[in-house]
Amino acid sequence: MKGSSLLLCLIWGFNFVIMKLGNGAFEPVQFAAFRFLTGTLLLFGILIWKRVPNPDRHTMKWYIICGILQTTYFNIAIQISLNYINAGLTSVLTYSMPLFLSMMAHFLIPGERLNTRRTIGIATGMMGLLFAMDIHLGGNLWAMLLGVSSAIAWALSNLIIKLKLQHCDKTQFTTWQMAFGALGLLLYSLLFERWEPHFSAASIFYILFSGIVASALAFLLWTHILTRMEASKASVTLLLVPIIGVVSGWIFLHEELKAATLLGIFFSTGGHLDCEPCRDSEAAVNE
């Protein structure tokens, strides 16, 4: 489980670079639609191969809600944010999700209440988030808030997984929520974006990597991790993603490493990693 978590962080951290590059060839949400449609096709092939039955009507409604939150809105917010702020900062804001999920779990998931150590960790993480945003009057504050809203939407979806979908087939859930989410992205793009995609060997690679590796396979891995661990413990493993995202943006996109962003990463990851869920997770990931 520990190796799976590290692999997931590497994939999702580097994917911010791929998404930023993809925005140069496609409209932002158009790229996300191509990405998740590609991932959905692969996953439906896996469902057919495994002979997984279709979900029942009660379960399907939760798949639709998660698809809208975790795939449609989440990616609209990220892709638009990437057009106005750099990939590293976007990754920091998006992967503040563990902070919000821990707070939601406190009130809604039995056995995951916050104690003093966890509360201090979350408060430190929120302070780090403010540093990372480097808030000032004007500028791209709205794009940063959009990035934060993607984290909240993702946290809500993860909460639903823990409360309502714990015993569902992981491949079935990942496939159907991604299918509904991809349709939402496609509809948004058709209504609000220009359709003048620039296909090339590079842009097709961006779609394939994001769709197959960072979407289909990575979300299967994430759902597997989330259903086997407490929400707060599972989500805290993702706090490496912003670091990988910032470093990847610096290496591959030559993005500036601002002191405020680095300080924000230190507080939002280091502070939350110092809280009790992370220490408890050391035993869980080695089971």
Side-chain angles (χ1 to χ4, degrees):
M1 190 67 70
K2 190 172 184 179
S4 299
S5 299
L6 178 59
L7 176 62
L8 185 64
C9 291
L10 289 170
I11 292 171
W12 275 347
F14 178 69
N15 194 52
F16 276 90
V17 171
I18 299 297
M19 289 191 293
K20 186 80 171 182
L21 292 171
N23 280 359
F26 307 98
E27 291 290 317
V29 180
Q30 181 186 75
F31 174 73
F34 285 147
R35 166 191 175 183
F36 285 100
L37 287 171
T38 301
T40 298
L41 289 175
L42 173 65
L43 288 173
F44 269 118
I46 294 174
L47 284 185
I48 294 171
W49 176 64
K50 292 178 65 177
R51 298 183 180 179
V52 177
N54 292 332
D56 58 54
R57 184 179 301 178
H58 173 74
T59 305
M60 185 71 83
K61 72 178 181 181
W62 294 114
Y63 288 2
I64 294 172
I65 293 171
C66 286
I68 292 171
L69 288 171
Q70 180 171 292
T71 301
T72 302
Y73 181 80
F74 177 80
N75 285 279
I76 288 173
I78 289 177
Q79 294 294 153
I80 293 176
S81 296
L82 281 169
N83 270 1
Y84 297 92
I85 56 180
N86 66 44
L89 179 54
T90 304
S91 68
V92 172
L93 302 180
T94 299
Y95 284 87
S96 64
M97 181 275 292
L99 306 175
F100 296 106
L101 180 57
S102 294
M103 288 187 285
M104 294 176 187
H106 170 76
F107 295 102
L108 297 171
I109 300 180
E112 296 202 25
R113 296 186 62 82
L114 295 172
N115 55 24
T116 302
R117 185 183 294 275
R118 295 187 186 194
T119 303
I120 292 173
I122 288 176
T124 305
M126 296 304 293
M127 181 173 66
L129 186 60
L130 294 177
F131 276 116
M133 291 174 69
D134 192 17
I135 293 177
H136 52 83
L137 295 177
N140 294 317
L141 176 59
W142 70 270
M144 299 179 193
L145 293 175
L146 192 62
V148 172
S149 73
S150 71
I152 295 173
W154 190 13
L156 284 170
S157 178
N158 288 332
L159 192 67
I160 291 172
I161 294 171
K162 294 295 293 185
L163 290 173
K164 302 293 184 180
L165 303 173
Q166 188 78 355
H167 303 294
C168 291
D169 183 273
K170 300 175 185 64
T171 307
Q172 182 193 75
F173 164 74
T174 305
T175 303
W176 283 96
Q177 72 83 21
M178 191 174 292
F180 288 118
L183 289 176
L185 290 168
L186 183 62
L187 179 61
Y188 178 96
S189 182
L190 288 171
L191 290 174
F192 299 109
E193 293 181 330
R194 295 177 303 168
W195 268 71
E196 298 176 357
H198 300 286
F199 289 103
S200 64
S203 64
I204 291 173
F205 169 77
Y206 302 151
I207 292 174
L208 292 177
F209 180 88
S210 285
I212 295 174
V213 179
S215 298
L217 301 181
F219 273 101
L220 277 176
L221 192 58
W222 167 242
T223 304
H224 174 70
I225 293 170
L226 187 61
T227 54
R228 290 194 61 185
M229 299 172 64
E230 287 184 17
S232 56
K233 292 177 182 178
S235 62
V236 82
T237 64
L238 298 181
L239 292 173
L240 276 176
V241 175
I243 298 175
I244 295 168
V246 169
V247 173
S248 296
W250 175 60
I251 294 173
F252 295 101
L253 301 177
H254 308 293
E255 293 181 345
E256 181 184 359
L257 283 176
K258 292 185 177 180
T261 302
L262 293 173
L263 189 61
I265 291 174
F266 173 78
F267 280 113
S268 61
T269 58
H272 200 52
L273 285 168
D274 188 50
C275 69
E276 188 173 318
C278 183
R279 292 184 178 182
D280 293 344
S281 68
E282 289 296 321
V285 295
N286 285 301
E287 289 180 353

